[in-house]
C-alpha cells in the first residue's frame, strides 16, 4: 500500500486519531471495520472531528440477522468461522435497525443504506458453517422481516449537529427502507401470472402474512396459524393471496 498511497498507517484507528489531530478528510471509510471495534460509538464520534465541513463516513457491516445465522441458531449453535458474518475476530454484531441506531447515537444522519444480498446456501458454503438444509428451510419459512438475505450493509452518513434531528431523519430512513421492501413484495403478489403452477398453500399464507406482520405487531395483534404444511394446490398463487 505504501508504494501507491501518500501515507499509510498500520495499527488501531484510535491510535491514528490520537497522533494526527490536525488531519481532515473528505471521506472516512470503515470497510468491515466497525464490527471489530471495542467502542464503535466512540470511534464514530471521534471521526467527526477529522472530517471536512461536508465530509462523510462510508461503512460496510455484515448483517447478523441473515437467514444462514438464523438457521444455525435453530440448530442451537453459534460457531465462529474464518471469514464472513461470524468471523472469529468480530467483537460486535449488527442488524439493519441496530446499525442505523449506532449512527444515530454517534451523531450522524444516514444518507444512504444499501444491501449486498446472498442466499443462505451461498453464505453457508462461503463461510463453511455446516448448516443442515432442513434448518435453512425452516429459517426461511419463519422469517417475517424480509431482510434475511441481506448479507452486508453499505452505508454513508454525515455528522448531524442536533441529536434530535438525527433521530428524526434516521427514523425516516428506517421506515422508507421498510416501505420500499413492502412495495416490492406487493408488486410480486399482484403481477399477472398466465400459467398454472403447483404451490404450497401454507407458504403463500406465510408470504402474505410477512407483508402485513409489522402493522399487526404495532397494533399488538397476534395471529396463530394451524395449517397443513404439506398441502399443495395447482392454480395461481397470487389469486389465493
Amino acid at each position: 500500500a505504501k508504494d501507491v498511497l501518500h501515507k499509510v498507517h498500520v495499527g488501531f484507528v484510535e491510535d491514528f486519531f490520537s497522533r494526527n489531530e490536525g488531519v481532515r478528510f473528505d471521506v472516512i471509510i470503515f470497510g468491515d471495520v466497525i464490527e471489530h471495534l471495542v467502542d464503535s460509538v466512540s470511534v464514530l464520534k471521534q471521526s467527526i472531528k477529522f472530517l471536512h465541513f461536508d465530509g462523510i463516513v462510508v461503512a460496510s457491516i455484515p448483517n447478523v440477522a441473515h437467514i444462514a445465522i438464523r438457521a444455525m441458531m435453530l440448530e442451537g449453535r453459534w460457531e465462529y468461522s474464518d471469514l464472513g458474518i461470524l468471523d472469529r475476530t468480530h467483537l460486535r454484531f449488527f442488524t439493519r435497525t441496530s446499525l442505523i441506531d449506532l449512527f444515530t447515537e454517534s451523531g450522524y444522519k444516514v444518507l444512504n443504506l444499501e444491501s449486498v444480498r446472498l442466499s443462505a446456501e451461498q453464505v453457508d458454503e462461503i463461510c463453511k458453517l455446516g448448516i443442515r438444509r432442513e434448518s435453512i428451510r425452516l429459517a426461511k419459512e419463519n422469517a417475517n422481516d424480509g431482510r434475511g438475505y441481506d448479507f452486508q450493509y453499505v452505508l454513508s452518513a454525515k455528522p448531524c449537529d442536533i441529536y434530535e434531528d438525527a433521530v428524526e431523519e434516521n427514523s425516516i430512513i428506517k421506515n422508507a427502507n421498510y416501505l420500499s421492501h413492502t412495495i416490492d413484495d406487493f408488486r410480486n403478489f399482484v403481477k399477472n401470472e398466465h400459467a398454472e403452477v403447483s404451490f404450497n398453500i401454507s407458504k403463500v399464507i406465510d408470504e402474505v402474512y410477512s407483508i402485513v406482520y409489522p402493522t399487526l405487531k404495532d397494533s399488538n395483534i397476534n395471529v396463530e396459524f394451524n395449517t397443513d404444511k404439506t398441502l399443495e394446490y395447482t392454480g395461481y398463487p397470487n389469486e389465493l393471496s
Side-chain angles (χ1 to χ4, degrees), residues 189 191 193 199 204 233 235-241:
F189 276 110
K191 67 182 179 182
E193 292 182 335
F199 61 91
V204 172
Y233 180 77
Y236 305 96
N238 292 350
E239 290 184 359
L240 176 64
S241 62

Side-chain angles (χ1 to χ4, degrees), residues 159-177:
C160 188
D161 294 333
I162 302 174
Y163 174 74
E164 288 74 15
D165 289 347
V167 172
E168 181 178 356
E169 293 286 345
N170 291 343
S171 68
I172 294 173
I173 288 287
K174 287 183 185 178
N175 293 330
N177 284 326

